[in-house]
Amino acid sequence: MNKPSFNLVTEPWIQVLDQDGNPKEVSLLDVFENAADYQRLAGDMASQDLVILRLLVAILTTVYSRVDMDGEAYEWITLDEKMHLKEAEEEDYDRNDLINTWHLLYKNGEFSESVIQYLKENSSKFDFLGDDPFYQVNKEIYDREVPANKKINLKKPKGTVDIKQINRTISESNNSPSIFSPRTRHTKNEVNLAQLVRWIITYQSFTGVTDKTKVNSKEKFSVSAGWLYGLNPVFAQGKNLFQTLMLNLVFSEEYEDEKPFWEFENIVEYIEFLKDEPFARDLSISTLYTLWSRMLHIEWVNEKPVIFTAGLPKLDSTEAFVEPMTTWHRNKKTGEFYPATKHLNDLTKAMWRNFGQYVKTTSSDELEDMHEPEIIQWLREVQNNEYLPTDTSLTLKTTVLISDGNPSSQLPAFEINDSFKIKANVLFDKNEKDYWPADIENMIELTQEIGKDFWIFTNNISKLRGLTRTNFADNSTAKFYEGLNLPFLNWLASLRNDQERADKTAEWKKILKTIAITKAEEILKNASPRDIIGQKNHDKKDEPSGIKNIFTIFNHYKLNIFSHIK
């Protein structure tokens, strides 16, 4: 009887959209051979697509940090027959060689044969059902690495996780049913093998901390909730999957031995490495992109998976600038940078409103509280080298799974997907005097100021109605910004580097003023008799007439608008 196998190199499991918009499942070989023929990844949810994107980029980073466009190893390294690193002369590392390889690949519009060769040489490492199953461990290793009372026992299983819990469209435990699940109760634990592969890989990046089992360790440790859970991701999207993969293919300034988990001598060595490696900043890009948060083992009972899980240590993310796909936050007390994270109160804030987190908004290098994401620095370098056409439009995207805020569970509560499009030569403007990012940030700050005016306007109406809470103002302001999102994104995408800055900023001011007045007038139209009658105002300086009603509040709001938008 043949041993079951599901090799990700040759078996279809990655979901993509073809150029006609039709969904399709493809293998690793297929996705790299035909990347330009696919629009984008199109899995079960956007967060899953981000995880798979990082896995694909990890493979590319590993290959092209070792060989050039023609498949020749760089002068400073020696490879074995599987294209693994044998030796490296770090002092001879020349990043320009890697950048030149990037340029030739992008210009050629397809990946070279080296990626295919690498996958074929290492295909045994990508078997999901093999002796060393992909992103998992076998039974022998699992039992060795967990406490004796947590070993695999199918009669009385301990430390297991259901499909419905790792499926991030459900995220349901046995104790907390998901009321708005996209699956019925009887199908929540049903997946085919390709879906299971995608969810297992996704689970390693977005985990939560409800597990009862940890791997054995001499030192106490906090269980990882998954590396991506601790980031505010940002990445680039191209016109097709090839461009998307290339735009996110970043090479480090300093030499790094790229080492995804499957290149460790064995998986026990990898687990010991995670136990002993507390600082993410010491890892390589491909190691971070394929990082485990759980040691998983799958037992198959009547062709259904029983998933055993044990927590692995959480890495220290302090100044882990090796991670390209995140924005950063500076701790004002220590001066150190940490990956920024989003919380439940960030749900209504669009990506463009945080423009200053993604790119330097001044041509000066003196922004001590700002560290540009490495992906932005990389794209700037590519643009400065003129490897992208001058009229290239960049789409920057974010995909965030936000936890429930409970430190004892950290289960996914919401997924945020957002993006903005901008010309590359606008985002990376070389003009120091009329620096486009500075003007864009000024317009965003002005918009935020008008947003405050609108909140005060609606809150004053709320007080007029005798309400003590700010729900009306908060909800109205959220809708106000919703009405601004599309106009601002259109304005941002329309910017060119050969335009007069003053003309385009005046254009946005006009749009902003119109929307600000229109949105307030919509509230005015729905005024109640109580709003119109108003009440006596005790501050005669504020309202000389002595009456404060919705019209006087509206007039005051308009004065603020006209004073701020000049």
Side-chain angles (χ1 to χ4, degrees):
M1 181 178 176
N2 293 331
K3 186 176 175 61
S5 172
F6 190 80
N7 197 297
L8 307 190
V9 173
T10 54
E11 296 285 350
W13 65 279
I14 301 169
Q15 285 193 320
V16 298
L17 284 185
D18 65 20
Q19 292 297 352
D20 295 324
N22 300 314
K24 184 179 181 181
E25 279 190 350
V26 297
S27 66
L28 281 171
L29 286 182
D30 194 338
V31 84
F32 286 119
E33 287 178 330
N34 304 299
D37 296 331
Y38 303 130
Q39 291 184 34
R40 59 177 177 85
L41 296 171
D44 302 279
M45 64 190 302
S47 297
Q48 185 187 91
D49 290 339
L50 175 58
V51 175
I52 302 303
L53 173 67
R54 286 165 67 89
L55 170 63
L56 298 178
V57 174
I59 294 170
L60 294 173
T61 307
T62 302
V63 172
Y64 291 116
S65 65
R66 297 172 182 173
V67 301
D68 61 18
M69 176 74 173
D70 299 320
E72 297 294 326
Y74 299 117
E75 291 182 357
W76 65 85
I77 61 175
T78 305
L79 304 178
D80 65 15
E81 66 280 358
K82 290 190 174 183
M83 297 177 67
H84 290 199
L85 185 70
K86 285 179 65 177
E87 187 179 0
E89 301 292 337
E90 295 184 27
E91 64 275 9
D92 295 330
Y93 173 66
D94 189 348
R95 186 166 175 261
N96 289 326
D97 288 347
L98 278 65
I99 294 174
N100 185 57
T101 297
W102 189 98
H103 177 217
L104 294 175
L105 286 169
Y106 193 84
K107 186 177 179 181
N108 201 41
E110 62 182 8
F111 298 111
S112 66
E113 186 63 26
S114 298
V115 183
I116 307 305
Q117 180 188 347
Y118 175 84
L119 289 171
K120 289 180 176 179
E121 293 289 350
N122 295 275
S123 63
S124 62
K125 297 290 187 179
F126 290 86
D127 192 341
F128 192 74
L129 303 176
D131 293 330
D132 295 311
F134 194 64
Y135 266 102
Q136 311 149 63
V137 299
N138 59 37
K139 183 178 184 297
E140 179 186 357
I141 293 174
Y142 188 89
D143 284 347
R144 184 194 308 165
E145 292 290 336
V146 299
N149 65 340
K150 300 290 187 179
K151 291 184 178 182
I152 294 168
N153 183 342
L154 289 174
K155 292 182 178 179
K156 294 182 178 180
K158 293 183 179 179
T160 60
V161 60
D162 291 334
I163 296 295
K164 64 184 181 181
Q165 191 166 346
I166 72 169
N167 182 334
R168 286 316 187 195
T169 63
I170 303 173
S171 294
E172 175 183 306
S173 68
N174 290 326
N175 299 322
S176 303
S178 177
I179 298 173
F180 301 106
S181 168
R183 296 285 194 95
T184 64
R185 179 168 60 89
H186 299 292
T187 62
K188 287 179 179 178
N189 280 314
E190 293 183 4
V191 287
N192 60 38
L193 198 49
Q195 288 172 324
L196 180 62
V197 173
R198 295 196 299 269
W199 284 125
I200 287 289
I201 298 173
T202 304
Y203 189 65
Q204 292 283 18
S205 291
F206 297 106
T207 316
V209 291
T210 57
D211 305 67
K212 305 300 181 185
T213 304
K214 293 183 180 182
V215 295
N216 295 322
S217 178
K218 294 178 183 178
E219 305 291 336
K220 290 185 177 181
F221 65 83
S222 298
V223 173
S224 172
W227 178 252
L228 271 179
Y229 231 158
L231 308 184
N232 178 28
V234 55
F235 57 100
Q237 180 170 297
K239 294 180 180 178
N240 55 44
L241 184 54
F242 171 78
Q243 284 193 5
T244 297
L245 291 168
M246 286 299 300
L247 292 173
N248 292 286
L249 176 57
V250 177
F251 295 119
S252 300
E253 286 278 357
E254 305 296 328
Y255 175 78
E256 291 288 346
D257 176 10
E258 292 298 338
K259 198 168 184 177
F261 74 83
W262 58 82
E263 285 202 2
F264 280 74
E265 189 68 27
N266 54 64
I267 213 63
V268 173
E269 179 187 295
Y270 177 65
I271 291 169
E272 292 302 316
F273 167 78
L274 292 180
K275 291 180 189 177
D276 297 336
E277 185 62 65
F279 294 105
R281 61 173 175 259
D282 296 327
L283 307 184
S284 70
I285 292 174
S286 60
T287 308
L288 275 182
Y289 280 7
T290 61
L291 192 65
W292 290 18
S293 64
R294 293 295 179 273
M295 183 180 70
L296 300 175
H297 172 73
I298 300 178
E299 286 284 316
W300 293 87
V301 180
N302 298 324
E303 298 185 350
K304 292 186 179 296
V306 179
I307 306 169
F308 290 83
T309 174
L312 290 164
K314 179 181 180 180
L315 298 186
D316 188 320
S317 60
T318 308
E319 304 203 340
F321 298 137
V322 65
E323 168 58 66
M325 294 186 186
T326 188
T327 60
W328 297 89
H329 168 74
R330 183 172 180 266
N331 185 311
K332 295 189 182 297
K333 290 183 179 180
T334 65
E336 295 175 317
F337 283 92
Y338 299 88
T341 54
K342 283 190 176 293
H343 306 282
L344 291 175
N345 57 2
D346 297 314
L347 291 178
T348 61
K349 194 167 186 179
M351 186 180 179
W352 62 265
R353 290 171 61 190
N354 289 321
F355 183 80
Q357 291 183 13
Y358 299 101
V359 64
K360 288 181 178 179
T361 54
T362 171
S363 55
S364 169
D365 293 328
E366 298 177 358
L367 283 176
E368 61 177 19
D369 287 341
M370 163 63 174
H371 183 87
E372 271 191 337
E374 305 303 308
I375 183 68
I376 301 298
Q377 296 184 42
W378 168 258
L379 292 172
R380 174 184 281 108
E381 185 169 5
V382 168
Q383 172 68 15
N384 288 346
N385 285 337
E386 299 181 353
Y387 292 161
L388 294 176
T390 54
D391 61 344
T392 296
S393 285
L394 290 175
T395 298
L396 297 182
K397 300 195 69 173
T398 185
T399 294
V400 187
L401 263 188
I402 298 179
S403 82
D404 56 11
N406 186 340
S408 63
S409 63
Q410 297 188 42
L411 292 176
F414 291 94
E415 182 185 67
I416 292 179
N417 300 296
D418 203 356
S419 65
F420 63 77
K421 182 179 288 188
I422 187 171
K423 293 281 195 303
N425 57 8
V426 170
L427 187 66
F428 306 126
D429 192 4
K430 297 178 182 179
N431 191 332
E432 294 187 6
K433 183 179 179 182
D434 295 314
Y435 186 58
W436 252 132
D439 288 329
I440 293 168
E441 183 67 5
N442 288 337
M443 292 302 97
I444 292 171
E445 289 178 357
L446 174 63
T447 304
Q448 307 271 37
E449 190 67 36
I450 299 304
K452 291 178 184 177
D453 290 337
F454 189 83
W455 187 91
I456 293 170
F457 163 68
T458 50
N459 194 49
N460 282 335
I461 293 173
S462 185
K463 290 178 181 178
L464 192 65
R465 295 170 179 174
L467 303 176
T468 56
R469 296 187 177 183
T470 62
N471 296 25
F472 176 70
D474 295 340
N475 294 334
S476 298
T477 305
K479 291 178 182 178
F480 171 75
Y481 277 114
E482 283 179 16
L484 287 172
N485 286 341
L486 186 57
F488 187 87
L489 292 176
N490 289 337
W491 176 78
L492 190 63
S494 73
L495 303 181
R496 302 194 316 272
N497 211 21
D498 59 354
Q499 293 169 315
E500 282 294 328
R501 311 307 196 248
D503 291 345
K504 291 301 289 184
T505 54
E507 178 185 312
W508 174 246
K509 288 178 180 180
K510 183 178 179 180
I511 294 170
L512 178 59
K513 183 183 290 186
T514 300
I515 293 174
I517 298 300
T518 301
K519 291 295 181 183
E521 286 176 340
E522 288 175 3
I523 292 176
L524 209 65
K525 290 176 183 177
N526 295 312
S528 67
R530 178 173 179 170
D531 296 337
I532 296 170
I533 295 170
Q535 60 189 22
K536 288 186 178 180
N537 184 50
H538 298 293
D539 187 355
K540 296 296 180 68
K541 294 179 181 178
D542 188 41
E543 302 291 351
S545 66
I547 296 295
K548 187 174 188 178
N549 60 23
I550 195 169
F551 299 113
T552 60
I553 293 171
F554 175 68
N555 289 336
H556 190 70
Y557 167 72
K558 283 202 298 184
L559 286 174
N560 285 335
I561 297 299
F562 292 136
S563 66
H564 289 140
I565 303 178
K566 298 176 181 178

